[in-house]
Every structure is written in C-alpha cells, then in structure tokens.
Amino acid sequence: ALLVSIQTLFWAIVLLIFLMYTFAIWFTSSVSDYIVEHGGRESNTALHEHFGSMFHSFYSLWLSISGGKNWYYICEPLLETNVALAVLFICYISITVLGVMNIVTSVFVESAMRSTQHYRDLLVQEKERNKEMFGRHLRQIFRQIDADGSGMITMDELRDFLQDETLELTQYFEALEIDAEDAKALFTLLDRDDSGEIDVEEFCDGCLRLKGEAKSFDINCLLYNSKRMENKLCAILEGMLVLARGFE
C-alpha cells in the first residue's frame, strides 16, 4: 500500500514540476525583456527578486502555492508593470490550486483506497490459504484415526488414537489449537448428525469450528440461546400450571 502511494505521489510531483517549469519560462522571459527595456535591475528590484532568473521564478511560483509566501505580494509587481503577466500569474494560481492540487489529492486518495482494498484481498487470500492448509492437516489426521480405512471414525477409534502417546496425536491437535483432552466430548461435538460415526467432512468442519479459543461472538450466541430456552421453559411451565388449575 505504501509503495503504490509513493508511486502516485511521485508522478503527481512530476506533473506539478512540469507545470511550474512551463510558467517559470514564460515569466522569466517576459520579465527579463521588461527589465532590459525599462531601466535595468535597479528600477525593477521586486520584479528581479521574484522573476529575474529561472531559479527565482520557479522558487516564487512554488512559494505562492505552498503557503511559503502570499501570492498577492508576488503578483503585485507584475500588476504594476504588466497586466497581462498579472493575469497569467492568476491563471497559474487558479490552475494549480483549484485544478491540479485537487486532482492530485483525489488521485492520491483513490490510490490509497485501492491499496487498502488490495490489502484486504490479500488478507482474504491468506486466510483461505491457511484454511486450505489446515484442512489438509485435518484430512491427514482423519486417515490416521480411521484405522480400518472405512472412511468413518467411530468413538472407539478416536479414543484409541487419542490415548496412544506414541502417535503424538494429542500434541498435533494442540498445535492446531484444538482441545482434544476429552474424547467423548470431542466425538459428540464432531458427530453433528448423531449417527455414531464421523465422516471426513464432519471431522474437518467440526475441527474448523473448534479451532482456537471461544470468541465473544460465540459466548454471546450461547447466552442468547440459553435465554431463549429459559423463556420457552418458563412459558411451558406457566401453561402446565394453568392446565393443572383447570383440572382442579
């Protein structure tokens, strides 16, 4: 993102320098001719100070748009000597301040926004790559647990492999941020259809859900579901009480 913004800034500065250089040539040429025709440097000190050479012209033009010096004081000597040059200077200020500067700013902002979007896309791609790599590791673990090669994991197979310290499967689960200390609880959470067996899709999807620590979102979902269950139970109990009173 920073590199793209620097490239945009570089070309914006090149455009601004080219514009200033073009106007500096006009002002230097016109002012030099005027000074020669009207008494030399001594009688035109302000003009020579601001536009007596290319360096002075370029410097004055830069000060007038960067806030280094109020452009009125630079334009005043031109206005006193040649109205056409004063009008040209005002055109320069209008083009740079109202036109080029705003365009440069908008291009720079747009470039930064594109860079931000590109960075977001990279984050999404990185997340997808990590998920894919995590899935490959889980499928490898599944094949290790599925001792009979049936394509399904039973409770006994999962317990045997978790208890087999030579396979270091528990440490592998911990490295993947999955708590596998309780085999029965882990099997229950992975067996979403309560079939008593876990296929590879159930295993991978379940482990992806269990990866890492509980997030605030997960906890709030549990609290919300618990509250709903509590309200339903209260409603059922109230209904049973009404029915019991009716029988009395």
Side-chain angles (χ1 to χ4, degrees):
L2 181 60
L3 180 60
V4 175
S5 298
I6 291 176
Q7 290 176 348
T8 304
L9 179 62
F10 171 77
W11 289 113
I13 292 175
V14 169
L15 173 62
L16 187 59
I17 290 175
F18 174 77
L19 184 65
M20 292 172 58
Y21 181 77
T22 303
F23 276 92
I25 292 174
W26 289 345
F27 285 118
T28 304
S29 176
S30 300
V31 168
S32 297
D33 293 341
Y34 180 86
I35 290 175
V36 171
E37 294 174 2
H38 295 82
R41 300 180 182 178
E42 292 75 10
S43 58
N44 299 279
T45 306
L47 274 178
H48 182 267
E49 178 184 350
H50 291 129
F51 302 103
S53 64
M54 277 294 297
F55 173 78
H56 287 94
S57 297
F58 198 91
Y59 183 63
S60 298
L61 293 177
W62 171 249
L63 291 178
S64 63
I65 63 172
S66 63
K69 190 173 184 178
N70 194 312
W71 65 268
Y72 169 78
Y73 298 107
I74 299 176
C75 182
E76 188 176 16
L78 296 175
L79 187 61
E80 294 175 354
T81 55
N82 191 325
V83 176
L85 289 178
V87 172
L88 182 63
F89 184 82
I90 293 174
C91 289
Y92 162 76
I93 295 296
S94 302
I95 292 172
T96 52
V97 175
L98 302 180
V100 176
M101 287 300 202
N102 288 333
I103 293 173
V104 168
T105 302
S106 62
V107 170
F108 194 82
V109 171
E110 183 182 358
S111 175
M113 292 177 64
R114 286 201 306 266
S115 300
T116 302
Q117 183 61 43
H118 180 65
Y119 179 68
R120 291 175 182 172
D121 294 340
L122 289 178
L123 288 179
V124 172
Q125 293 174 8
E126 182 67 21
K127 185 176 181 180
E128 290 297 324
R129 283 196 296 268
N130 291 337
K131 185 177 180 180
E132 183 180 351
M133 181 181 65
F134 189 75
R136 289 198 300 268
H137 287 307
L138 290 176
R139 291 177 185 275
Q140 180 181 353
I141 294 176
F142 182 89
R143 287 192 294 269
Q144 287 183 278
I145 298 176
D146 184 21
D148 56 5
S150 62
M152 305 292 288
I153 293 176
T154 63
M155 178 64 190
D156 293 334
E157 286 178 326
L158 181 61
R159 182 187 295 112
D160 291 342
F161 272 81
L162 290 177
Q163 291 177 351
D164 191 345
E165 297 182 357
T166 60
L167 295 175
E168 298 182 351
L169 196 57
T170 302
Q171 290 81 354
Y172 199 9
F173 269 115
E174 290 177 354
L176 296 176
E177 300 180 14
I178 298 175
D179 186 2
E181 293 182 0
D182 190 338
K184 184 177 180 180
L186 178 61
F187 188 88
T188 303
L189 292 172
L190 296 177
D191 186 18
R192 301 191 67 181
D193 57 2
D194 297 325
S195 62
E197 293 180 323
I198 303 172
D199 61 22
V200 64
E201 295 301 328
E202 281 182 317
F203 183 79
C204 292
D205 292 342
C207 288
L208 284 173
R209 291 195 312 273
L210 297 174
K211 182 177 182 292
E213 300 178 355
K215 298 181 175 64
S216 177
F217 177 80
D218 301 323
I219 296 174
N220 279 278
C221 286
L222 289 174
L223 292 174
Y224 173 74
N225 291 329
S226 299
K227 187 65 177 178
R228 287 186 60 188
M229 186 65 66
E230 181 183 351
N231 293 336
K232 289 181 179 180
L233 289 175
C234 290
I236 293 172
L237 290 175
E238 289 177 1
M240 293 176 65
L241 288 174
V242 171
L243 289 174
R245 291 170 183 168
F247 285 117
E248 293 177 357

